[in-house]
Amino acid sequence: MTVRRTMFGRPLRSVAFDVAVAGAVALFGLAGAVNQPGGWAATLVGVGMAVALLFRRSHPSAVTVVVAALAVVQVIAQWGPLAYDVAVLIALYSVMKYGERLRDGVLAGAVAAVGVLLAAAQTPGVINYWVTALWYALVTGAVWLVALNVRTRRLYVVSLEERASTLEREREAESRAAVAEERTRIARELHDVVAHSMAVMIVQADGARFMLDRDPEQARTAVKVVADTGRQALEEMRRLVGVLRDAGPTGAGGPVVAADPEHRRLALAELPDLLARFRDAGLLIRHTVDGEPPMLPPGLELTIYRVVQEALTNALKHAGVGAGVELALAYTAGAVVVRVVDDGQGRPLVSPPPSGGHGLLGMRERVAVYDGSLTAGARLAGGWQLEVRLPLPSEPATEVIAA
């Protein structure tokens, strides 16, 4: 963590620099106290300019007025240009760079132009008046233009910082909205998972009641199915409610409509239909399966289905029609691995299809429910690759036994 030291509410480095600048101007005034025109009176004017420069960042317009007034005193006294008059250029630079309004800087430049003519008139020497005035004008004009350029760049940087801050707030708001939307969808899917489990438990409990006297062994098996299904449903509820805890109550406004295709439970058995739809949309999909698919909890099947759906949707949107996609499902002893790779060589879509979720954010939210991992990124050979690893439950799902 970086600690910024401050003094009087300003960065310590800025305060030290301003003190050094004011000290240099005061030194110019004190160095010529004996020999310069005006003597100690001129020195006091120079010291006054130096003190005013201490506030050039916080009150640039007021500092410019004070320095200009002291310069007018110097002109009226006809002391001519002195070494500490560099304070005039410093004040001009400060009001142009730090002034709240550009008008103050323009007005200061006009006053400085008049001062150039007066200073040239009071400069002793054999050089022509117009040459002296031109030299003073070039120096003053250069300082004014440099300050204008620095002011423009400073305001540009400030605008970029404000824009970046605004975009960051918008991204955070969009992320929160996306998470809330995805959690709402998970809450709706929770109904299907729990309803299915409860239906199985009821069927098996009724079967056990009728078979208790006729076939005790069959009744014990049915009761075991009830217990296993209940534990599985409880685990699903804990995982999903853990994700939804911060999102507030959802789905309390009314019953879920089972006919809505977004609400019905999707399983891996429907994966071929999903691939067929994307093939019809123009993707060249090659699907491989490694290992024997085990019995998976309904929620885990749904997560795999949604991950594949979102990955293929992203491939269609970004790689385009005609892109080659490799979908690989690998079933190992402890996890299910989903890998989707596209070559990025398709044709751009005229009208991109709607996303099945909220991109990687939605997939990460779903994968996190089952303590899985997701990696995604561009390939050196072109295209995009995504890999999801979902750990399998410790005990496989129990097959349903009809009563």
Side-chain angles (χ1 to χ4, degrees):
M1 181 178 62
T2 303
V3 179
R4 297 187 62 183
R5 298 181 179 180
T6 59
M7 180 180 293
F8 307 117
R10 293 165 51 194
L12 183 59
R13 185 171 61 178
S14 299
V15 174
F17 181 80
D18 290 345
V19 170
V21 170
V25 173
L27 184 61
F28 288 152
L30 293 173
V34 178
N35 299 324
Q36 68 186 3
W40 285 101
T43 298
L44 291 177
V45 171
V47 172
M49 290 183 178
V51 172
L53 290 179
L54 291 173
F55 308 95
R56 69 186 189 92
R57 295 178 191 264
S58 56
H59 303 85
S61 298
V63 168
T64 304
V65 171
V66 172
V67 172
L70 293 175
V72 170
V73 172
Q74 180 181 342
V75 170
I76 294 175
Q78 296 185 352
W79 295 334
L82 300 175
Y84 59 72
D85 285 334
V86 68
V88 176
L89 299 178
I90 297 174
L92 178 62
Y93 177 89
S94 300
V95 72
M96 195 64 202
K97 179 179 178 181
Y98 302 111
E100 294 183 0
R101 297 169 297 185
L102 181 61
R103 182 182 62 185
D104 295 344
V106 174
L107 182 60
V111 174
V114 176
V116 163
L117 300 178
L118 296 177
Q122 293 187 358
T123 300
V126 296
I127 302 178
N128 189 285
Y129 166 78
W130 292 109
V131 175
T132 304
L134 180 61
W135 167 250
Y136 287 161
L138 289 176
V139 173
T140 305
V143 171
W144 191 87
L145 289 175
V146 169
L148 177 61
N149 181 63
V150 173
R151 175 191 179 89
T152 303
R153 291 181 61 85
R154 183 176 67 87
L155 294 179
Y156 177 69
V157 171
V158 170
S159 67
L160 288 181
E161 292 176 349
E162 292 178 351
R163 182 179 179 184
S165 178
T166 301
L167 291 176
E168 183 66 24
R169 290 194 297 269
E170 290 178 353
R171 280 195 297 268
E172 291 178 357
E174 290 176 356
S175 298
R176 288 194 295 268
V179 170
E181 180 183 354
E182 193 63 29
R183 288 177 175 177
T184 301
R185 173 173 293 180
I186 294 174
R188 293 196 299 263
E189 293 166 354
L190 175 63
H191 172 272
D192 294 334
V193 172
V194 175
H196 169 76
S197 300
M198 294 299 294
V200 172
M201 293 170 65
I202 292 172
V203 170
Q204 296 298 321
D206 287 341
R209 181 165 58 90
F210 286 111
M211 298 296 295
L212 186 60
D213 297 328
R214 300 179 183 178
D215 191 346
E217 184 64 27
Q218 185 73 11
R220 282 194 295 270
T221 303
V223 172
K224 184 179 183 299
V225 172
V226 172
D228 291 344
T229 305
R231 280 192 293 268
Q232 179 179 309
L234 182 59
E235 183 179 358
E236 294 288 332
M237 289 179 61
R238 285 175 177 171
R239 286 174 175 169
L240 293 174
V241 171
V243 175
L244 300 171
R245 184 169 297 157
D246 296 333
T250 57
V256 179
V257 181
D260 189 346
E262 286 294 329
H263 297 168
R264 64 187 177 88
R265 183 173 63 85
L266 300 170
L268 293 182
E270 299 184 60
L271 195 57
D273 294 336
L274 177 67
L275 300 183
R277 289 197 298 270
F278 278 97
R279 288 191 178 103
D280 292 340
L283 290 181
L284 305 179
I285 302 175
R286 188 166 68 92
H287 179 210
T288 60
V289 178
D290 184 15
E292 185 67 22
M295 294 290 294
L296 299 176
L300 187 57
E301 285 196 32
L302 178 61
T303 298
I304 297 173
Y305 184 95
R306 292 298 191 193
V307 166
V308 172
Q309 182 186 48
E310 187 62 40
L312 294 179
T313 301
N314 289 340
L316 185 63
K317 289 173 58 178
H318 301 293
V321 176
V325 180
E326 293 184 9
L327 169 62
L329 292 178
Y331 299 96
T332 64
V336 179
V337 180
V338 182
R339 190 167 186 267
V340 182
V341 180
D342 68 77
D343 57 14
Q345 298 180 2
R347 301 186 303 276
L349 297 177
V350 177
S351 179
S355 174
H358 202 277
L360 292 177
L361 182 62
M363 283 192 281
R364 290 187 191 278
E365 187 74 13
R366 289 182 176 274
V367 171
V369 173
Y370 290 91
D371 298 327
S373 62
L374 184 150
T375 57
R379 302 170 62 233
L380 294 178
W384 188 267
Q385 64 181 5
L386 178 140
E387 182 173 313
V388 171
R389 182 181 181 85
L390 294 167
L392 293 176
S394 56
E395 295 182 4
T398 306
E399 185 178 358
V400 177
I401 300 177

